[in-house]
Amino acid sequence: MFDPKLYDKKHQERNTSVALTVFAVGRYLDAYLNTFLTSAEKHFMIGLPVTYYVFTDLPEKVPKIELAPQRDLKVVTVQRYSRWQDISMMRMKVISEMIDMEFEGKFNYVFCLDVDQEFKKIGSEALGESVALVHSYFFNLPKEKFTYDKNPKSKAYMETGDYYYHAALFGGSLQNVKALADFCHLSIMEDKLNEVEALWHDESHLNKYFWLNKPSRLLSPEYCWDNNLPDGRNILLARLVWAPKQYDKLRTRK
Ligand code: 5GW
Ligand code: MN
């Protein structure tokens, strides 16, 4: 195992600062945001300056959590799309715009996460120029099982790949995350023009991006583990865990 203190020391010397983006739109805010933020304050890049950017349609409902020194939280209002696929996909556009309008000059790295998860222990070892996460459902499966988009009409189409990446966490330098977000957003828009939608939405496009542009740092499924998986004995330390899915409650239309 690596020594996390060595990574922290390097980043403290370099004055590394990190932006963490998270979307909590509609019912996802009440269901997940408080656990996400309070666990991040305890277990995400402790010792480095971190600013949370919470994107929501319900800004007044963002929990007021107590922040440690050098930590900050900003709330950005976004529109709520009626289709959940669009809620998920529009994140790429918003992230790209934020990098240009807000992050440039303020941060060295940006990390983008799903809200339905809880931090256990993620340190500065996870930082890198271009960071991708191996999906915990596929790390021990053969490629034939990977759920890449298989429709040649979609921009996300890929015949084969190397890993199946999970879109619940990605990150890197501002420049690299901007390139990823632009690639995914433009591909999503082109698919819309062609009246197709990739199998797993933004995740399909992200997989295509990382197939064409290899990440510099690959995070193991420890970094986004689902405790319902049977092969947890191989996971020494679940560093981020999936919150229990509440699809019946959250995915039905009001
Ligand atoms: C709602 C219904 C179905 C799918 C997604 C949503 C949804 C997602 C939403 O209503 N509000 C919202 O903020 N999201 C954001 O998109 C959250 O940050 C969420 O973590 C992310 C991806 O959606 P997930 O977590 O339901 O997707 P999976 O791939 O983890 O199942
Ligand atoms: Mn999720």
Side-chain angles (χ1 to χ4, degrees), residues 23-25 28 84 87-88 91 114-116 245 247 250-251:
F23 288 71
V25 175
Y28 272 49
W84 65 261
I87 294 179
S88 189
R91 293 184 291 173
D114 272 14
V115 73
D116 56 343
K245 295 276 176 195
Y247 284 152
L250 298 173
R251 288 202 169 174

Side-chain angles (χ1 to χ4, degrees), residues 28-36 115-116 243-246 250:
Y28 272 49
L29 193 154
D30 262 347
Y32 300 119
L33 186 60
N34 194 49
T35 302
F36 180 93
V115 73
D116 56 343
K245 295 276 176 195
Q246 311 172 27
L250 298 173

Side-chain angles (χ1 to χ4, degrees), residues 18-242:
V18 180
L20 191 167
T21 71
V22 66
F23 288 71
V25 175
R27 281 177 273 184
Y28 272 49
L29 193 154
D30 262 347
Y32 300 119
L33 186 60
N34 194 49
T35 302
F36 180 93
L37 291 172
T38 50
S39 67
E41 272 300 278
K42 289 192 202 117
H43 307 293
F44 180 75
M45 308 248 174
I46 300 308
L48 290 187
V50 171
T51 303
Y52 306 101
Y53 283 86
V54 175
F55 300 92
T56 183
D57 58 329
L58 304 164
E60 66 288 349
K61 289 191 73 183
V62 173
K64 309 258 175 299
I65 64 157
E66 207 179 303
L67 296 167
Q70 293 205 299
R71 316 277 285 199
D72 200 0
L73 188 154
K74 300 209 159 127
V75 180
V76 180
T77 306
V78 292
Q79 144 185 24
R80 177 182 184 176
Y81 289 91
S82 56
R83 291 179 67 244
W84 65 261
Q85 294 88 342
D86 290 327
I87 294 179
S88 189
M89 291 191 295
M90 66 78 168
R91 293 184 291 173
M92 293 298 183
K93 173 168 183 267
V94 172
I95 288 165
S96 165
E97 288 170 355
M98 282 305 285
I99 291 173
D100 280 344
M101 286 161 31
E102 171 81 15
F103 297 172
E104 205 61 65
K106 284 200 179 80
F107 304 103
N108 308 100
Y109 298 97
V110 52
F111 266 73
C112 308
L113 275 80
D114 272 14
V115 73
D116 56 343
Q117 19 201 20
E118 181 177 348
F119 293 90
K120 297 293 183 185
K121 189 177 174 51
I122 294 189
S124 57
E125 80 286 347
L127 296 171
E129 288 305 300
S130 174
V131 182
L133 168 73
V134 176
H135 198 300
S136 56
Y137 276 51
F138 299 93
F139 78 97
N140 51 0
L141 294 182
K143 279 181 195 179
E144 300 73 55
K145 301 264 188 202
F146 293 178
T147 53
Y148 298 136
D149 183 83
K150 295 288 179 197
N151 176 359
K153 294 204 175 76
S154 170
K155 287 290 283 179
Y157 170 77
M158 43 199 291
E159 229 159 82
T160 184
D162 34 23
Y163 297 95
Y164 190 79
Y165 301 106
H166 195 176
L169 184 164
F170 58 90
S173 66
L174 301 190
Q175 193 192 343
N176 281 322
V177 176
K178 165 101 179 137
L180 179 157
D182 282 342
F183 175 95
C184 293
H185 173 57
L186 291 175
S187 303
I188 288 164
M189 296 322 282
E190 198 168 323
D191 275 5
K192 283 193 184 290
L193 286 177
N194 293 321
E195 297 179 333
V196 287
E197 194 160 271
L199 182 61
W200 286 106
H201 318 106
D202 41 304
E203 184 164 271
S204 301
H205 296 285
L206 174 130
N207 268 280
K208 181 80 172 266
Y209 178 82
F210 281 132
W211 170 236
L212 300 174
N213 307 271
K214 304 293 181 213
S216 68
R217 176 145 304 184
L218 196 56
L219 298 180
S220 86
E222 282 185 328
Y223 282 82
C224 193
W225 188 251
D226 179 357
N227 280 321
N228 293 316
L229 282 167
D231 26 28
R233 64 182 187 284
N234 296 321
I235 301 297
L236 298 179
L237 177 57
R239 296 174 171 278
L240 176 77
V241 294
W242 296 27

